[in-house]
Amino acid sequence: DKNTGTLLFYTDGISVWNKDHLQMPNGTGLMGSGNSTQSALIVSFPKSDSLYYIFTITDFQPPLNGFRYSVVDMSLNGGLGDVSVKNVLLLSGASEKLAAVKPCNGTDVWVLIHQNGTNAYYAYLVTSSGIDLPVISNVGAVFPAAGFPGYLKFSPDGHKVVMAGYQQMPMAQLFDFDDQSGVLSN
């Protein structure tokens, strides 16, 4: 619960379990991956106490399921929750990197991913109206299309983003993030 910090549900990006550690009735078949470095991210709907997005991202091995979202509605199944929307595609060519941060308005959430084989970062603003079209920033090195496992992480204040990876090109990059516009730079 975002207000009290008590456990409501959890996921590995493939299945979803409720607070009693039981699989939700519709909580299977999400398109994350057990091999992805960052398979899933849970974000509450702004201004809602019962709806949550689960963003999933696959690893770079087939099948390439891309960046998707599902919705958990905690008002279903007697308050234990259920998945009411499943596997809506946002971007097909996403790498295994996924992070989120609240902008300074304190209500919305930026969800950030990296596109495979490019230097493109997609920032999706999640508001009480839904998920906005992405802000795309082309910055930094171009990474191999075959996949680039690693992590994407915001600084605690949300103004910096680090992208670390390994395999063919081990490296880390540090960027500035504008939490008003969603643009990465420097």
Side-chain angles (χ1 to χ4, degrees):
D1 182 292
K2 64 184 176 183
N3 298 316
T4 64
T6 57
L7 178 67
L8 295 177
F9 66 95
Y10 56 97
T11 182
D12 62 359
I14 301 166
S15 298
V16 184
W17 295 270
N18 65 28
K19 67 180 181 180
D20 294 331
H21 313 292
L22 301 173
Q23 199 166 65
M24 288 184 179
N26 195 30
T28 60
L30 273 64
M31 293 182 157
S33 169
N35 294 324
S36 177
T37 51
Q38 293 177 288
S39 179
L41 177 72
I42 298 170
V43 173
S44 63
F45 273 56
K47 300 182 182 179
S48 173
D49 289 330
S50 63
L51 297 173
Y52 295 82
Y53 288 105
I54 298 177
F55 292 97
T56 58
I57 204 156
T58 189
D59 66 357
F60 65 91
Q61 301 293 329
L64 300 175
N65 294 324
F67 177 54
R68 297 176 180 266
Y69 75 87
S70 299
V71 175
V72 171
D73 186 341
M74 292 305 297
S75 70
L76 300 176
N77 193 24
L80 292 174
D82 200 359
V83 179
S84 59
V85 174
K86 199 185 296 186
N87 297 322
V88 178
L89 181 65
L90 292 170
L91 182 69
S92 60
S95 66
E96 304 181 24
K97 296 161 189 62
L98 178 61
V101 69
K102 284 192 174 198
C104 64
N105 73 11
T107 303
D108 302 330
V109 177
W110 285 106
V111 176
L112 183 67
I113 64 165
H114 173 260
Q115 185 180 33
N116 248 348
T118 73
N119 67 346
Y121 292 82
Y122 286 62
Y124 294 85
L125 185 62
V126 179
T127 71
S128 58
S129 300
I131 302 169
D132 288 356
L133 292 175
V135 175
I136 303 169
S137 300
N138 292 92
V139 62
V142 174
F143 295 102
F148 188 65
Y151 290 90
L152 194 60
K153 179 75 175 161
F154 281 98
S155 63
D157 68 3
H159 293 117
K160 299 283 185 188
V161 175
V162 68
M163 194 279 294
Y166 66 94
Q167 199 158 331
Q168 299 154 342
M169 299 172 57
M171 71 167 60
Q173 294 185 95
L174 181 66
F175 303 105
D176 292 329
F177 182 73
D178 182 335
D179 70 348
Q180 295 300 304
S181 68
V183 172
L184 273 80
S185 59
N186 297 327

